[in-house]
Amino acid sequence: MPRRHPETSTVEHLVIVGNGMAGHRLVEALLARTERPARITVIGAEQAPAYNRILLSPLLAGEMQREALTLRSAEWYAEQGIELILGERVEKIDCDARTLSTDAGRRLDYDRLVLATGSNPARPPVPGLELPGVHVFRDLHDADALARAAESGRNAVVIGGGLLGLEAAEGLRKRGMQVSLLQRDDRLMNRQLDLTAARLLENELRGRGLDIHTDAQLERLEADAEGQVCAVLLADGTRLAADCVVVAIGIVPNAELGRVAGLEVNRGVIVDEWLTTSDPAIHALGECCEHRGNLYGLVEPIWRQVEVLAERLCLDHDHADDEDAQGYVEKPTATKLKVSGISLYAFGPTEAEPDHEVLSYRDPQQGNYRRLLLRGGRLEGAVLYGDTASGPWYFEQALAGVDLTACRTALLLGAADAQALLDDALNESPHSPAKEAA
C-alpha cells in the first residue's frame, strides 16, 4: 500500500463517469479516506443507481429479487454529499478546458476525471444478429427483457459457452424455456477448464435439460414472416428453433469516449500503474481500461485498481519520489461459476506443459474432480469440480510461490492435510522459528 502523507488531496472537483460496480467501489473507497476530494460528481447512463451485476444471473433465474442487487440508494449518495446524475450519457470531453457534456445538454467542469464506462457485449459477424428477438446479457434492462422473452417464447439459443453464456442459459432454463447452448470450442469454459472438468460440467448441464453443442460454427440467424428471429442455422446444417437468441461471447472495452477525447487508446483506454491515461488529469478504471496489454472482466483485479486510484486521488502527490509507493500490479485470478448446484474453482493454465507435474483425483460417485499442475514443487494451476473447499488454499499457495514438495503426497486430499504436513516440515527444519527460539 502506498505510504500515507500528511497533506490532503488537492483535487477540488472529481467527476466519475460510470455508476457501475467499478465506479461505485471507487466512491466507497474515497469515502473511507479523510483526504477525499472536496466535491465528487458521479454520472451514470442507466436510470438505476449502482447495482451488483454479478447477481444478474440469479435474478434472471428467479432466485433473487431486484432490490437485492442495489448497492446504495440515490438517497445515500446525497447523504454523503455526492452529486449523482443518472440517465445521462457523457458525449464529449474537452481535455484542454477540463469540461464534459452529456446527451441532456449538461456541462460540467472537473479537476480530475475518472472513466469507469465498463464494457459492451462482443458480437460475432453473423448475418441476422440485428433481428428483433436477439439479446445480450449485461445489465438490468437485458435481464428484464430476457425474463419477458421467457414468458412469451418457448425456445432459446444462447451463443457462448463461457461463464456468462452458461449463467444466461441456466437462468432461461429455470424460467421454463428449452435452451440450446452453442460453444465454438471443443469444450465449455475452455479458458478455465481442462477437458475432464469441462465434460463433467457438460454432463451435469445436459442432465438438467440443456441442449449443448460444442464445436458449433454459426452460419446465420433466420427470421419469420414478421421479421422476428425464429431459428439459428449452424455450418453443419443443424437448424435450431429460437424464439429468442442471447449473445454472450465476451466483452469489449467501452473506450469510445476516451478515443474521441484524444486519449491514447488500443483495445481499451491505456493507463499506467497509477491508472492515469495519456492526459494526467484523466484516469480510467475497470473494464474500459488497458494496462500493459491486459483487459479486465473479473472483479478481483478491478478492486485492486480501485485501491490504487483512491490513494492516488486522495493524496495527489508525486509518486516518482516515493520509494515505498506501489501502483497497480498484475496478479493471477481465480474463476468461480455462479450456477446454483454446481461448484467449480479454477486458476492458472488449462493445459499441462511438458515440464509440469500433474496430480489428479476423481470420485465419480461423489462427482468430485481435482487436477493440480506443479513445476519444481510449486503450484501453478488447479481445476476443482464438485468439492471446491480447498480452492482458495491452493490459490494462496500458488500466489505465494510456496514449495509444496513436503506435502505433495497429501495435496489432493485437501487443504487441512496438506497444511499439516507443511507445518510439520517447517517445525522439523533446523532454521524454523521454534528451534531458533529454543
Side-chain angles (χ1 to χ4, degrees), residues 50 69 91 109 177 189 202 229 241 352 360:
L69 275 67
E91 291 189 326
D109 60 356
M177 300 195 81
M189 294 183 63
E202 182 177 333
V229 69
S360 63

Side-chain angles (χ1 to χ4, degrees), residues 43-339:
I43 305 176
E46 293 186 64
Q47 293 288 348
Y51 57 89
N52 190 340
R53 294 181 191 273
I54 295 174
L55 299 179
L56 284 173
S57 299
L59 176 68
L60 176 60
E63 301 168 347
M64 186 169 288
Q65 297 299 311
R66 161 66 184 92
E67 294 74 22
L69 275 67
T70 301
L71 295 172
R72 297 287 189 177
S73 66
E75 291 74 20
W76 176 86
Y77 286 84
E79 292 168 359
Q80 304 301 320
I82 296 173
E83 182 182 13
L84 177 63
I85 301 170
L86 296 176
E88 295 186 27
R89 188 178 302 277
V90 175
E91 291 189 326
K92 184 181 179 181
I93 300 171
D94 186 330
C95 297
D96 294 330
R98 292 193 180 183
T99 62
L100 58 82
S101 55
T102 73
D103 57 359
R106 189 189 304 266
R107 187 174 181 272
L108 292 173
D109 60 356
Y110 65 84
D111 294 302
R112 288 293 180 91
L113 181 66
V114 175
L115 301 181
T117 51
S119 62
N120 297 316
R123 292 176 175 269
V126 176
L129 211 63
E130 74 289 345
L131 291 172
V134 178
H135 304 266
V136 293
F137 186 37
R138 288 293 295 164
D139 57 28
L140 281 172
H141 173 78
D142 300 329
D144 290 341
L146 288 173
R148 291 193 301 270
E151 293 175 357
S152 59
R154 176 171 176 78
N155 298 300
V157 174
V158 176
I159 302 170
L163 285 168
L164 190 62
L166 292 175
E167 293 165 10
E170 180 67 358
L172 290 173
R173 183 194 69 81
K174 287 192 171 183
R175 291 275 181 177
M177 300 195 81
Q178 297 293 318
V179 183
S180 296
L181 178 67
L182 310 182
Q183 168 69 323
R184 66 179 180 180
D185 204 89
D186 67 342
R187 73 189 78 166
L188 300 176
M189 294 183 63
N190 57 292
R191 294 183 178 179
Q192 294 88 17
L193 302 184
D194 66 350
L195 188 59
T196 300
R199 290 293 181 260
L200 288 170
L201 175 61
E202 182 177 333
N203 291 338
E204 169 66 26
L205 294 174
R206 286 186 185 277
R208 296 184 179 194
L210 288 182
D211 176 31
I212 297 176
H213 299 256
T214 55
D215 290 313
Q217 301 300 318
L218 280 172
E219 186 74 20
R220 65 178 183 274
L221 277 60
E222 298 179 344
D224 59 18
E226 298 179 352
Q228 295 279 328
V229 69
C230 67
V232 173
L233 185 66
L234 304 184
D236 63 4
T238 301
R239 187 177 184 276
L240 303 170
D243 300 305
C244 83
V245 174
V246 183
V247 180
I249 63 171
I251 58 176
V252 293
N254 186 8
E256 187 60 25
L257 184 61
R259 181 177 288 107
V260 172
L263 302 180
E264 187 177 357
V265 175
N266 185 28
R267 292 179 297 167
V269 179
I270 295 177
V271 297
D272 63 13
E273 66 270 28
W274 302 110
L275 289 308
T276 304
T277 71
S278 53
D279 183 325
I282 301 178
H283 305 270
L285 175 72
E287 292 177 341
C288 71
C289 80
E290 178 178 337
H291 175 256
R292 297 188 177 183
N294 295 301
L295 301 176
Y296 306 94
L298 300 175
V299 296
E300 287 183 29
I302 296 175
W303 287 179
R304 295 199 303 272
Q305 291 177 358
V306 165
E307 291 304 311
V308 170
L309 183 53
E311 192 81 0
R312 179 72 181 92
L313 292 169
C314 287
L315 300 182
D316 199 33
H317 64 283
D318 185 2
H319 292 278
D321 298 327
D322 189 345
E323 294 180 357
D324 294 339
Q326 183 180 19
Y328 175 74
V329 178
E330 293 292 340
K331 294 181 181 179
T333 56
T335 297
K336 302 173 187 176
L337 180 63
K338 299 178 292 297
V339 169

